[in-house]
PDB file of all heavy atoms in Angstrom:
ATOM      1  N   THR B 289      12.948  24.287   3.653  1.00 78.00           N
ATOM      2  CA  THR B 289      12.550  24.405   5.014  1.00 78.00           C
ATOM      3  C   THR B 289      13.381  23.440   5.908  1.00 78.00           C
ATOM      4  O   THR B 289      13.149  23.151   7.038  1.00 78.00           O
ATOM      5  CB  THR B 289      11.142  23.933   5.222  1.00 78.00           C
ATOM      6  OG1 THR B 289      10.925  22.612   4.635  1.00 78.00           O
ATOM      7  CG2 THR B 289      10.198  24.980   4.496  1.00 78.00           C
ATOM      8  N   ILE B 290      14.467  23.033   5.304  1.00 78.00           N
ATOM      9  CA  ILE B 290      15.364  22.062   6.096  1.00 78.00           C
ATOM     10  C   ILE B 290      15.974  22.766   7.345  1.00 78.00           C
ATOM     11  O   ILE B 290      16.202  23.964   7.352  1.00 78.00           O
ATOM     12  CB  ILE B 290      16.474  21.603   5.127  1.00 78.00           C
ATOM     13  CG1 ILE B 290      17.216  20.278   5.856  1.00 78.00           C
ATOM     14  CG2 ILE B 290      17.460  22.649   4.955  1.00 78.00           C
ATOM     15  CD1 ILE B 290      18.033  19.581   4.862  1.00 78.00           C
ATOM     16  N   SER B 291      15.962  22.006   8.395  1.00 76.00           N
ATOM     17  CA  SER B 291      16.646  22.525   9.655  1.00 76.00           C
ATOM     18  C   SER B 291      17.927  21.745   9.994  1.00 76.00           C
ATOM     19  O   SER B 291      18.274  20.741   9.272  1.00 76.00           O
ATOM     20  CB  SER B 291      15.729  22.409  10.681  1.00 76.00           C
ATOM     21  OG  SER B 291      15.315  21.246  10.986  1.00 76.00           O
ATOM     22  N   GLY B 292      18.547  22.323  10.888  1.00 73.00           N
ATOM     23  CA  GLY B 292      20.001  21.958  11.242  1.00 73.00           C
ATOM     24  C   GLY B 292      20.481  20.472  11.295  1.00 73.00           C
ATOM     25  O   GLY B 292      21.393  20.169  10.521  1.00 73.00           O
ATOM     26  N   THR B 293      19.637  19.572  11.776  1.00 75.00           N
ATOM     27  CA  THR B 293      20.141  18.200  12.018  1.00 75.00           C
ATOM     28  C   THR B 293      19.208  17.329  10.954  1.00 75.00           C
ATOM     29  O   THR B 293      19.296  16.131  11.159  1.00 75.00           O
ATOM     30  CB  THR B 293      19.977  17.701  13.394  1.00 75.00           C
ATOM     31  OG1 THR B 293      18.689  17.924  13.719  1.00 75.00           O
ATOM     32  CG2 THR B 293      20.942  18.506  14.187  1.00 75.00           C
ATOM     33  N   ASP B 294      18.441  17.834  10.101  1.00 79.00           N
ATOM     34  CA  ASP B 294      17.665  17.034   9.214  1.00 79.00           C
ATOM     35  C   ASP B 294      18.616  16.348   8.160  1.00 79.00           C
ATOM     36  O   ASP B 294      19.334  17.011   7.459  1.00 79.00           O
ATOM     37  CB  ASP B 294      16.630  17.908   8.533  1.00 79.00           C
ATOM     38  CG  ASP B 294      15.494  18.457   9.309  1.00 79.00           C
ATOM     39  OD1 ASP B 294      15.365  17.894  10.524  1.00 79.00           O
ATOM     40  OD2 ASP B 294      14.832  19.233   8.893  1.00 79.00           O
ATOM     41  N   TYR B 295      18.240  15.124   7.851  1.00 82.00           N
ATOM     42  CA  TYR B 295      18.905  14.321   6.838  1.00 82.00           C
ATOM     43  C   TYR B 295      18.102  14.562   5.588  1.00 82.00           C
ATOM     44  O   TYR B 295      16.946  14.809   5.584  1.00 82.00           O
ATOM     45  CB  TYR B 295      18.947  12.874   7.193  1.00 82.00           C
ATOM     46  CG  TYR B 295      20.177  12.570   8.181  1.00 82.00           C
ATOM     47  CD1 TYR B 295      20.098  12.899   9.401  1.00 82.00           C
ATOM     48  CD2 TYR B 295      21.391  11.893   7.637  1.00 82.00           C
ATOM     49  CE1 TYR B 295      21.189  12.565  10.316  1.00 82.00           C
ATOM     50  CE2 TYR B 295      22.210  11.650   8.438  1.00 82.00           C
ATOM     51  CZ  TYR B 295      22.348  11.904   9.787  1.00 82.00           C
ATOM     52  OH  TYR B 295      23.316  11.622  10.616  1.00 82.00           O
ATOM     53  N   ILE B 296      18.866  14.309   4.479  1.00 86.00           N
ATOM     54  CA  ILE B 296      18.184  14.178   3.190  1.00 86.00           C
ATOM     55  C   ILE B 296      18.167  12.905   2.595  1.00 86.00           C
ATOM     56  O   ILE B 296      19.262  12.265   2.474  1.00 86.00           O
ATOM     57  CB  ILE B 296      18.799  15.239   2.100  1.00 86.00           C
ATOM     58  CG1 ILE B 296      18.752  16.641   2.687  1.00 86.00           C
ATOM     59  CG2 ILE B 296      18.129  15.161   0.781  1.00 86.00           C
ATOM     60  CD1 ILE B 296      19.984  17.487   2.327  1.00 86.00           C
ATOM     61  N   HIS B 297      17.075  12.349   2.116  1.00 88.00           N
ATOM     62  CA  HIS B 297      16.915  10.881   1.772  1.00 88.00           C
ATOM     63  C   HIS B 297      16.486  10.989   0.356  1.00 88.00           C
ATOM     64  O   HIS B 297      15.504  11.685  -0.109  1.00 88.00           O
ATOM     65  CB  HIS B 297      15.960  10.153   2.577  1.00 88.00           C
ATOM     66  CG  HIS B 297      16.332  10.013   4.101  1.00 88.00           C
ATOM     67  ND1 HIS B 297      16.031  10.921   4.958  1.00 88.00           N
ATOM     68  CD2 HIS B 297      17.005   9.045   4.728  1.00 88.00           C
ATOM     69  CE1 HIS B 297      16.413  10.620   6.180  1.00 88.00           C
ATOM     70  NE2 HIS B 297      17.019   9.361   6.069  1.00 88.00           N
ATOM     71  N   TRP B 298      16.973  10.041  -0.417  1.00 92.00           N
ATOM     72  CA  TRP B 298      16.372   9.747  -1.871  1.00 92.00           C
ATOM     73  C   TRP B 298      16.072   8.246  -1.994  1.00 92.00           C
ATOM     74  O   TRP B 298      16.786   7.421  -1.502  1.00 92.00           O
ATOM     75  CB  TRP B 298      17.579  10.126  -2.837  1.00 92.00           C
ATOM     76  CG  TRP B 298      17.647  11.640  -3.143  1.00 92.00           C
ATOM     77  CD1 TRP B 298      18.412  12.545  -2.445  1.00 92.00           C
ATOM     78  CD2 TRP B 298      17.057  12.325  -4.245  1.00 92.00           C
ATOM     79  NE1 TRP B 298      18.276  13.723  -2.915  1.00 92.00           N
ATOM     80  CE2 TRP B 298      17.625  13.622  -4.080  1.00 92.00           C
ATOM     81  CE3 TRP B 298      16.397  12.027  -5.370  1.00 92.00           C
ATOM     82  CZ2 TRP B 298      17.253  14.645  -5.044  1.00 92.00           C
ATOM     83  CZ3 TRP B 298      16.007  12.989  -6.175  1.00 92.00           C
ATOM     84  CH2 TRP B 298      16.505  14.214  -6.055  1.00 92.00           C
ATOM     85  N   TYR B 299      14.933   8.131  -2.642  1.00 93.00           N
ATOM     86  CA  TYR B 299      14.465   6.731  -2.950  1.00 93.00           C
ATOM     87  C   TYR B 299      14.136   6.723  -4.253  1.00 93.00           C
ATOM     88  O   TYR B 299      13.904   7.763  -4.994  1.00 93.00           O
ATOM     89  CB  TYR B 299      13.238   6.387  -2.023  1.00 93.00           C
ATOM     90  CG  TYR B 299      13.490   5.825  -0.647  1.00 93.00           C
ATOM     91  CD1 TYR B 299      14.057   6.751   0.301  1.00 93.00           C
ATOM     92  CD2 TYR B 299      13.456   4.463  -0.387  1.00 93.00           C
ATOM     93  CE1 TYR B 299      14.341   6.227   1.436  1.00 93.00           C
ATOM     94  CE2 TYR B 299      13.617   4.055   0.939  1.00 93.00           C
ATOM     95  CZ  TYR B 299      14.115   4.822   1.760  1.00 93.00           C
ATOM     96  OH  TYR B 299      14.539   4.357   2.962  1.00 93.00           O
ATOM     97  N   ARG B 300      13.942   5.589  -4.875  1.00 95.00           N
ATOM     98  CA  ARG B 300      13.349   5.503  -6.225  1.00 95.00           C
ATOM     99  C   ARG B 300      12.485   4.254  -6.315  1.00 95.00           C
ATOM    100  O   ARG B 300      12.499   3.315  -5.562  1.00 95.00           O
ATOM    101  CB  ARG B 300      14.578   5.267  -7.267  1.00 95.00           C
ATOM    102  CG  ARG B 300      15.242   3.912  -7.279  1.00 95.00           C
ATOM    103  CD  ARG B 300      16.168   3.835  -8.399  1.00 95.00           C
ATOM    104  NE  ARG B 300      16.822   2.582  -8.602  1.00 95.00           N
ATOM    105  CZ  ARG B 300      17.789   2.335  -9.439  1.00 95.00           C
ATOM    106  NH1 ARG B 300      18.249   3.197 -10.176  1.00 95.00           N
ATOM    107  NH2 ARG B 300      18.365   1.053  -9.455  1.00 95.00           N
ATOM    108  N   GLN B 301      11.555   4.320  -7.249  1.00 95.00           N
ATOM    109  CA  GLN B 301      10.655   3.169  -7.391  1.00 95.00           C
ATOM    110  C   GLN B 301      10.590   2.753  -8.851  1.00 95.00           C
ATOM    111  O   GLN B 301      10.175   3.601  -9.702  1.00 95.00           O
ATOM    112  CB  GLN B 301       9.134   3.638  -7.046  1.00 95.00           C
ATOM    113  CG  GLN B 301       8.153   2.463  -6.890  1.00 95.00           C
ATOM    114  CD  GLN B 301       6.980   2.869  -6.301  1.00 95.00           C
ATOM    115  OE1 GLN B 301       6.536   4.073  -6.171  1.00 95.00           O
ATOM    116  NE2 GLN B 301       5.985   2.028  -5.821  1.00 95.00           N
TER     117      GLN B 301
END
Side-chain angles (χ1 to χ4, degrees):
Chain B
T289 57
I290 195 170
S291 60
T293 55
D294 287 347
Y295 279 76
I296 300 151
H297 300 84
W298 283 80
Y299 277 72
R300 72 178 185 181
Q301 187 171 19

